[in-house]
Every structure is written in structure tokens, then in C-alpha cells.
Amino acid sequence: MRPTGVYFENFAAEARVLETRRARLWLVALCILLVALPMLAGPWLLGQLTYAFITLIAVYGLFVTVGMAGQINIAQSAFVGVGAFSAAKLSGLGVPFWLVIPAAALITGAVSVLFALPAARVRGFYLALTTLAAQVMFPIVILALPMSWLGGLVGMPVVSPDLFGLSLGGPRGFYWLALAFAAAATWCAFNLPRSRLGRAMRAVHDNDTAASVMGIPVTRIKIEAFFVGALFAGVAGALTAYFLQFVTVSSFTLFASVWYLGMLIVGGIHSPLGPILGVAFITLIQEGLHAISNALLQSGSNIGGGAVFALSSILLALCILIALIFEPRGLAHLWQTAKTTFRLWPFPRN
Amino acid sequence: MTPANGSILEARDLCLRFGAVEALRSVSLAVQAGSIHALIGPNGAGKSSLLNCLSGFYRPWSGAVLFQDEDISTARPPMRSTLGIGRTFQGIQTYPSMTARDNILTGFHSRMSGGVFAALFRTPALIRQEEAFTARAEEIIAFLELEQDRHRVVGDMSYGLRKRVDLGRALATDPKILIMDEPMAGMSPEEKGDLARFILDIRDHFGIPVVLVEHDMDVVMDISDRVTVLEFGEVIAEGPPERIADDERVITAYLGAAEVAV
Ligand SMILES: Nc1ncnc2c1ncn2[C@@H]1O[C@H](COP(=O)(O)OP(=O)(O)OP(=O)(O)O)[C@@H](O)[C@H]1O
Ligand SMILES: [Mg+2]
């Protein structure tokens, strides 16, 4: 619901994401804060935020495949891995950074199409299994290839990026870089639902039988949903490679794929706002757990890292369950409801 | 094959079986340009099956479907939609998570352009196209009197409104003929009246002929120009509504003895 007094004079204005002047001002303020943050925050916080930005890009990819088109994908982490290894290999071959990122995205997209070709023909449970196969195959393939290709079990080092001689290797430079890509990904994710392709994905998600009769090429749209989701994963992977300056298969596990899905579900799978809220929420929980476990360790308790790992898994499962039972539309919907309630107060909603 | 005889969509000797069930036995049907053609018959008579053969959703075992005198028997549903055969569905088949206007906009899919790049980066070409097609969607919204509901999510709407959105989406495909399967089933008398008015307007203002399945005989008698009666997969009568209402076989087969007595 909009506040009163907001009206539009043409369809382009109506299609804007930020409808009010106040919303636009808030966005500008948020951008200034995020850009200025390296002046205020230490390297630890910057590192955490950088990692959250990269995660956000990967979760946007899932938003497209799972949220928009309704194609379950439990291999997003493998696709991020494809992006990371592509970036490592290309940068090792001396390809400049600004070319590596789009190239890694396209390579990941191409690999995803390979899987989407059979996957677009099956639904639900079988689709889940097909994407699970992609996740399982990823380390097997990398390890089976000759060491000199993708580093095998050892992995590959990645040189830190520089843009036209300007080094982006430090925590500050890389923070800005990740922020820029996360901002671009956010823009893309908010654009997609307002386009022909985005509406076709939604149609396939809601009712693919009706969609096919109404002239929407369903199989093609499903493949494009995987492709676009993998483009995001590829960018996230390439950034991960540069960020860690090293890639190994063990960084891209089924476990990470499930975390990505959890973030999407908790945030809300139907709104591009969902990934932002989900990543923020889950990251905060993870960090909270780390802080608690560190405090426990320091106080001399003998809880190990294994327990923390198990505890965080249980908490994630709980978050997903609570979201699915009480608010399947996620935090994004809670946020919308809260805004509407506030605007209508003291009158009830509906 | 045959000279044009004013029929826009024609079914010739369609046969269709599901296992042992013969849903259609050599059914022929010709829809005249500019007319409302009603299809009636008891449950399981094969009405939906016939419509599904016309829209390409079922493939008949034998027989042919002709659209504007061209054989389209092998064309698949998206192709037929592009050719100009629009349809609405039995029951609710709209996209529940999308708004009314987005539902209607999906009907423009095959006439819009732009792929992944345009969608992600919202190119100027895409913005222009969105504006043009939004304006056209608004024309349909105005015609169907959906202005109040254009931004409502269809899943939250009443049955009658959803059927109207379904109709809007079909109109967006720019049909040369419209196929409607039981558009009024489950509607209140007011909603039926509204929809009947829209169907007449579709014929008169847009010049689009309509084939529809309907159980409410009052509606059929009021709005249709021609009626075909199916029973057990066979055409048992065909003609203008007045004649059908008096046809002995139709009265016994479909309207039932009870209604004759009234
Ligand atoms: N997909 C299908 N699979 C198996 N049998 C089918 C299928 N579709 C229709 N039938 C059968 O074909 C016959 C004709 O069905 P159809 O749906 O065309 O009837 P109808 O006239 O539309 O009936 P209603 O008024 O109930 O909608 C029925 O006996 C039905 O059981
Ligand atoms: Mg039927």
C-alpha cells in the first residue's frame, strides 16, 4: 500500500521500485553510509560485509531460479564454484580482472544450461535430484581432471585484482568492489520482475500448463531461469576467488547450497527484497553464534568448533521451519505488512 | 481444400479416445465469423475435449482442425495461440502470485521482445516497450472494468474477478477467435450477467467470434447465435438457439424429462 498523495502521471513512473521521495532519500543515505563505511570500520567488519555482499549475489541467483521461476536448485554453491574456478584459471592465464568477471559469469551460465537441458523436463522431486547430482558431480569432476588444469585436490592460487593499475587487493578496495557488484546485482534483481522475461518466469512458476497454452515457451523459460541464476552465481564465484585469493573444491559444498536456500526462504522467495533481508538475518545469527562460542572458549569451557557447526545447522533448520510454518513469504512480507499497518494506523488492515 | 464459407474455425471428423473412453466420435463443428457459438451437453459429453482439440492441447486420433481454411492439426498450443486462437480455461487457471495487470501482460508475451540482457539491465528499448504494452493492458483493464483491481494479487481475488482476469489475458493474445470453457460455472447471477455482457461486447466491438461451453441454458439462449449439442462424444443437434430449445432429442438427452415437465 502507498501513502496517500502518491500518484503517477505515466506508466514509467508507476513502474519505479522506489515510489516516494522519502524512500529515494533513504536509499541515498544508505548508499552514502555503505560507501563511507571503510573510513569508520575495521578490517574485520569490512571482511564480514564483503563476504555478505558476495553471498547476497549468489542468493539473488537463487531468487531468480527458485523464487521467480519455481525451479528448485540445490546446486547453487556448485555453480558459485564453477565461477570461482573459471576466474582462478582465467586470471592465472593473465586475463585482466574486468574481463574475468563477465567471462566467469558466462561460463557458469553455459555450464548451468548443460544441466538445465534435462532438468527443465522434470519437476519437483526429480528436479531436486537432478540439481543435487550437479552439486555432487562438481568436486568429482574437478578432482578427476589433471592437476595442471584446475589444481585438483590442492586448489589454485588467485592473484589479487587490479583495475588499470589500481590495486583492489586490500580489505578496503575489495569491500568497495564487492559493494559495487552487490549494488549492480540488486538493481538487476529488482529489474527482472518488471520485464517480459520476469513475468514469463512467474507464469511458469504459477501455472506452467496455462502458460504453455498462452504462448509462453515453458522449457525455454525454465532454461533461462537456470542460466540467469547461474550468471549471478558466476559473478559471486569470481569475487569469492579474488577475495580468498585461493580456490579449492572444499569451499563449495552441498552445505553451502542449503544455506543459500535457507537465506532465500527466510528472507522471502517472491520478493527481490527477500535475499537482502535473508542474508542479513542469517549472517547476523551466524556471527552471533561465533561470538557466543568464542566467549565460551575464552571462559575455559571445552565446547569445540564441531559443536558450533552443529548448533548453527540446527538454528538454520529452525529458522527455515519457522519461516515456512508462520510466514512462507518470509521477512520481506513481514516488512511490507508492517509498513502497511503503520500507514493505516489506527485503522486495522483490510 | 474447401472454398471459404465464412467459417473461421472448423473441426472435421475429430475422433479422440482415452483408453476405453471414446471422448469424441467423428465430431465436426464450424464456427462462423462474428458469431457466438455455444457448445452444450451433459457432463462427460466431450465438450472440454473438443475445445482442447481446437486449442491444440489434445491431439485428436483422426480428423482435422482448420483455422481460416488452413490445416493447423499439427500446430502445438503456443503456435495456435500465436496464430490467433485465444482461450480461457475451465476452473481457475490464472497466475495467482501475480497482479491482475501482470497476468494480462503475460498475454502479450509472443508479441513482445527482449531477452535476458534487456530484462536484467532494463534497457531504454525495454522501458519504451513496457510503456506501450502497459497502455494496451490498461485498455483491456478498462474494457473489463478491472481498474480497482489492477494491482491486486490475483490469488486474493473472488472467483468472478479471476475469471475476468483470465479473459483479459486471453484478449491480450490478440485473438481472432476466443475459446471459453465454462466461463460462468460457479458464478453468481450478477457475475454471470456481467460476463455475458463482456462476451457480447467482444463479439460486437472487437469482432471476435466466441466458442463457449455453458451449462446455464438461459445464458445460452440469450447470447448465442448458434448452438451445438454433444452427447457421448457425438453431435446430436446443431442450429440456432430457438430450434435447439424445441429439438426433441435435445430435450430428452440434455434438458431431461424433469425440465420438460416444468
Ligand atoms: N485427460 C483425460 N484423461 C482421461 N480421460 C479423459 C480426459 N479428459 C477427458 N476424459 C474423458 O473423456 C470424456 C469427455 O470428457 P470432457 O472433459 O470432454 O467432458 P465435458 O463435456 O467437458 O464434461 P464437463 O461438463 O464435466 O466438463 C469423459 O468421459 C472424461 O472422463
Ligand atoms: Mg468440461
Side-chain angles (χ1 to χ4, degrees), chain A residues 14 187 191 199 206-207, chain B residues 93 97 101 120-121 130 151:
Chain A
E14 191 186 16
W187 184 59
N191 282 340
R199 285 189 297 265
D206 280 7
N207 190 335
Chain B
Q93 301 290 344
S97 81
R101 188 157 83 188
L120 288 179
F121 295 102
E130 284 287 315
H151 291 308

Side-chain angles (χ1 to χ4, degrees), chain B residues 64-104:
Chain B
V65 177
L66 281 79
F67 179 58
Q68 296 180 320
D69 295 315
E70 267 185 60
D71 192 331
I72 55 160
S73 303
T74 54
R76 295 171 48 74
M79 183 63 201
R80 294 196 198 191
S81 160
T82 317
L83 280 173
I85 301 179
R87 71 166 292 173
T88 65
F89 296 84
Q90 184 166 2
I92 290 180
Q93 301 290 344
T94 40
Y95 308 128
S97 81
M98 300 165 76
T99 64
R101 188 157 83 188
D102 277 353
N103 264 271
I104 292 171

Side-chain angles (χ1 to χ4, degrees), chain B residues 47-49 90 181-182 213 215:
Chain B
K47 306 179 295 295
S48 297
S49 303
Q90 184 166 2
D181 197 351
E182 300 199 24
V213 170
H215 283 295

Side-chain angles (χ1 to χ4, degrees), chain A residues 183-314:
Chain A
T186 304
W187 184 59
C188 291
F190 275 86
N191 282 340
L192 185 65
R194 300 178 288 157
S195 71
R196 167 187 187 248
L197 177 63
R199 285 189 297 265
M201 285 181 181
R202 257 291 151 69
V204 169
H205 168 279
D206 280 7
N207 190 335
D208 57 355
T209 316
S212 81
V213 180
M214 302 304 298
I216 292 175
V218 172
T219 306
R220 188 197 159 117
I221 297 292
K222 286 182 181 174
I223 292 171
E224 285 184 340
F226 275 101
F227 177 74
V228 176
L231 288 184
F232 283 90
V235 172
L239 289 173
T240 309
Y242 282 115
F243 182 51
L244 302 177
Q245 303 195 351
F246 201 83
V247 293
T248 66
V249 281
S250 56
S251 314
F252 308 102
T253 55
L254 173 63
F255 204 76
S257 286
V258 176
W259 275 99
Y260 289 144
L261 266 178
M263 292 171 176
L264 182 65
I265 291 170
V266 170
I269 71 171
H270 286 323
S271 159
L273 203 58
I276 301 181
L277 298 175
V279 170
F281 185 80
I282 299 281
T283 306
L284 280 177
I285 286 193
Q286 284 175 326
E287 285 314 311
L289 268 178
H290 274 138
I292 292 172
S293 75
N294 282 342
L296 282 177
L297 278 179
Q298 257 151 40
S299 70
S301 127
N302 54 359
I303 297 178
V308 173
F309 181 82
L311 203 61
S312 69
S313 309
I314 293 169

Side-chain angles (χ1 to χ4, degrees), chain B:
Chain B
M1 297 201 299
T2 39
N5 51 7
S7 78
I8 175 163
L9 186 64
E10 215 182 314
R12 282 204 190 142
D13 302 320
L14 294 185
C15 297
L16 180 72
R17 304 166 140 274
F18 295 104
V21 181
E22 276 191 88
L24 298 175
R25 307 181 210 192
S26 191
V27 170
S28 296
L29 177 90
V31 185
Q32 306 298 310
S35 72
I36 295 176
H37 196 130
L39 209 54
I40 63 172
N43 289 112
K47 306 179 295 295
S48 297
S49 303
L50 176 54
L51 293 195
N52 281 331
C53 287
L54 293 178
S55 65
F57 204 61
Y58 288 170
R59 178 74 53 90
W61 279 40
S62 63
V65 177
L66 281 79
F67 179 58
Q68 296 180 320
D69 295 315
E70 267 185 60
D71 192 331
I72 55 160
S73 303
T74 54
R76 295 171 48 74
M79 183 63 201
R80 294 196 198 191
S81 160
T82 317
L83 280 173
I85 301 179
R87 71 166 292 173
T88 65
F89 296 84
Q90 184 166 2
I92 290 180
Q93 301 290 344
T94 40
Y95 308 128
S97 81
M98 300 165 76
T99 64
R101 188 157 83 188
D102 277 353
N103 264 271
I104 292 171
L105 281 168
T106 58
F108 294 124
H109 187 90
S110 47
R111 268 167 313 121
M112 293 177 80
S113 56
V116 170
F117 185 83
L120 288 179
F121 295 102
R122 205 165 171 79
T123 56
L126 177 130
I127 294 176
R128 274 197 303 278
Q129 196 187 45
E130 284 287 315
E131 268 193 280
F133 278 94
T134 306
R136 293 176 65 174
E138 282 297 329
E139 284 170 21
I140 295 174
I141 286 171
F143 169 67
L144 294 173
E145 296 161 17
L146 282 167
E147 291 97 336
Q148 302 287 317
D149 304 288
R150 56 161 75 85
H151 291 308
R152 271 180 72 197
V153 170
V154 169
D156 299 338
M157 289 183 177
S158 72
Y159 182 80
L161 277 179
R162 287 195 214 189
K163 294 299 282 185
R164 232 190 271 178
V165 172
D166 189 2
L167 177 57
R169 184 180 60 180
L171 286 176
T173 62
D174 204 7
K176 298 197 178 81
I177 184 168
L178 193 57
I179 297 175
M180 304 177 84
D181 197 351
E182 300 199 24
M184 295 176 192
M187 283 191 174
S188 67
E190 291 79 19
E191 289 174 331
K192 281 187 185 178
D194 282 342
L195 192 59
R197 188 161 50 81
F198 291 133
I199 292 173
L200 288 170
D201 279 346
I202 286 171
R203 179 192 64 186
D204 298 336
H205 293 330
F206 296 94
I208 300 173
V210 177
V211 191
L212 79 164
V213 170
E214 187 45 57
H215 283 295
D216 187 325
M217 289 312 289
D218 291 336
V219 174
V220 170
M221 293 303 150
D222 277 353
I223 68 171
S224 52
D225 302 303
R226 214 169 172 79
V227 181
T228 297
V229 189
L230 278 179
E231 193 192 12
F232 296 122
E234 274 175 299
V235 177
I236 59 166
E238 141 127 48
E242 316 77 75
R243 253 212 349 257
I244 293 298
D246 298 335
D247 190 295
E248 285 296 319
R249 278 186 75 189
V250 178
I251 291 170
T252 44
Y254 180 57
L255 301 177
E259 234 166 279
V260 177
V262 174

